[in-house]
Amino acid sequence: MTNLSTLHKSRTLCLVIGCFLSGLLLTLPVLATSGDKTIRERIKERRSDAQPDVPITKPGDYERSLLHYGVNRHYRIHVPRAYNPATPTPLVVAFHGGGGDSDYMAQDKYYGLISKSDAAGFVVVFPNGYSKFRSGKFATWNAGACCANARDKNSDDVGFVRAMLRKVSAELMIDRQRIYATGMSNGGMMSYRLACEMADTFAAIAAVAGTDNTLSCAPRKPVSILHIHAANDDRVLFNGGAGEKFRDESKVTDFISVPATIAKWVKQNQCGSQPRRVLEKPGAYCEQYSHCAGAVKVQLCVTETGGHSWPGGSKPRGDEPPSQAISANDVMWDFFSQ
């Protein structure tokens, strides 16, 4: 009798546990998708919130991240030495080149943007593009027809930039009328996409070594355009096409030429058809189109040498060094300040 009673109790306990486990398994799919977010996304949110941002209380460098459509996106902020939280401050968003990252773009020895930020008094933000790696390395931007994973995955980089600017503006006293974009190569192409889709936010852009490869463009208002390019660029060719140095051309596109890019924006901004030479020196010149709608300007600066690079900067590798005939940072800030 004792054995039968024990067996009966064991069977009853097993039934209870079985029912509990079955019920738990049945609820897991619901938990995984409740609120249109998966458990993995919720874990990511908790991880991103686990370490609160260090408040910006003084000039210096800060790291930030935000969750955008389930992807944890990162960016760096440099606050200049002269920053005053009571005074609206200009903001420059600097986009790295394809296959790079925000850390590389923020290295002063290569691009000099932090030194220029301190000298001119603007805040500079370095966003990180879309990367399949947790480290954020080898990132690209979805600039339309280019480039690589960001384009192929249709990464919402414009949405990320909007979210990032909202967060930056909540932390710093930003002059909403003086927000600018610049970028190198694929980052310059991303700047063109922002000119097309966020002209209500960006007053001007400065693209370096990256032409306009957007798939559509209908800006809400005129926007000033500066383009800087080396005549001998061996990757984004001055007269159109992709250079032979690209190992896999499927990751890029048949780039629009520099003349076609300038012609597009001269027409888009309803500028006068004849430019005037605003700078000419050994190894470089700049031409500017004026009498545009909304008093904006379109300017092209060309260096004779430098290849695919940031004029005035430096390179760690053995490629052709950047032209020193002009400084992209100086020309850019002079243009933005107009």
Side-chain angles (χ1 to χ4, degrees):
M1 289 293 292
T2 303
N3 290 339
L4 287 173
S5 176
T6 302
L7 183 59
H8 177 72
K9 289 179 180 179
S10 298
R11 286 178 176 174
T12 303
L13 181 61
C14 288
L15 286 171
V16 171
I17 293 173
C19 290
F20 172 77
L21 289 175
S22 298
L24 180 61
L25 290 171
L26 286 171
T27 60
L28 279 177
V30 177
L31 290 172
T33 58
S34 63
D36 295 325
K37 292 182 180 179
T38 65
I39 287 176
R40 181 175 295 177
E41 287 171 345
R42 290 179 182 276
I43 291 171
K44 282 184 178 180
E45 284 183 332
R46 286 197 291 271
R47 285 176 177 171
S48 64
D49 293 339
Q51 297 180 343
D53 293 334
V54 176
I56 298 177
T57 57
K58 60 183 180 179
D61 299 293
Y62 300 84
E63 294 185 13
R64 292 289 186 265
S65 65
L66 62 88
L67 194 69
H68 185 68
Y69 283 98
V71 180
N72 207 24
R73 304 296 298 265
H74 301 274
Y75 58 98
R76 302 172 63 95
I77 304 173
H78 178 73
V79 181
R81 288 191 289 264
Y83 174 74
N84 183 344
T87 304
T89 304
L91 170 65
V92 174
V93 183
F95 296 90
H96 61 77
D101 56 61
S102 56
D103 290 344
Y104 186 79
M105 190 74 177
Q107 289 198 45
D108 217 39
K109 62 182 178 180
Y110 299 140
Y111 289 94
L113 280 164
I114 287 179
S115 292
K116 189 63 182 180
S117 163
D118 284 333
F122 59 83
V123 172
V124 60
V125 174
F126 302 94
N128 208 90
Y130 176 85
S131 172
K132 62 182 180 180
F133 301 103
R134 178 173 290 184
S135 66
K137 302 295 184 184
F138 305 106
T140 53
W141 299 103
N142 180 7
C146 193
C147 292
N149 289 323
R151 174 200 61 194
D152 298 341
K153 298 290 186 180
N154 196 26
S155 176
D156 182 23
D157 290 336
V158 174
F160 162 53
V161 171
R162 290 186 190 276
M164 180 188 72
L165 290 179
R166 284 194 297 269
K167 194 172 177 183
V168 171
S169 297
E171 290 193 89
L172 294 165
M173 179 63 78
I174 299 300
D175 187 341
R176 301 295 183 90
Q177 305 303 313
R178 301 188 68 191
I179 298 177
Y180 312 104
T182 188
M184 169 67 193
S185 189
N186 182 207
M189 298 171 199
M190 183 64 196
S191 297
Y192 273 116
R193 185 170 180 189
L194 296 175
C196 293
E197 299 185 34
M198 293 183 66
D200 54 338
T201 299
F202 290 94
I205 70 154
V208 180
T211 53
D212 183 344
N213 291 272
T214 54
L215 300 178
S216 61
C217 188
R220 294 184 179 181
K221 65 176 186 178
V223 56
S224 288
I225 304 292
L226 168 64
H227 190 98
I228 302 173
H229 216 104
N232 70 337
D233 193 318
D234 54 359
R235 287 180 172 81
V236 181
L237 305 183
F238 190 91
N239 290 313
E244 294 180 356
K245 286 196 173 183
F246 285 109
R247 296 177 182 176
D248 185 352
E249 291 188 8
S250 70
K251 300 296 184 182
V252 291
T253 190
D254 187 20
F255 298 116
I256 300 298
S257 71
V258 173
T261 294
I262 296 301
K264 170 183 176 176
W265 282 98
V266 167
K267 181 179 179 180
Q268 186 83 258
N269 285 329
Q270 302 173 40
C271 304
S273 59
Q274 294 301 316
R276 65 185 180 91
R277 191 66 60 97
V278 293
L279 183 148
E280 188 164 16
K281 60 190 303 186
Y285 68 87
C286 296
E287 293 182 339
Q288 188 175 100
Y289 296 81
S290 54
H291 305 294
C292 310
V296 303
K297 293 179 173 62
V298 175
Q299 181 169 308
L300 169 65
C301 293
V302 179
T303 61
E304 289 180 4
T305 63
H308 193 64
S309 62
W310 188 271
S314 65
K315 276 187 172 182
R317 296 182 291 274
D319 292 347
E320 179 178 353
S323 169
Q324 301 301 314
I326 59 172
S327 161
N329 294 335
D330 292 345
V331 172
M332 171 191 73
W333 189 246
D334 288 345
F335 184 77
F336 288 165
S337 297
Q338 295 176 20

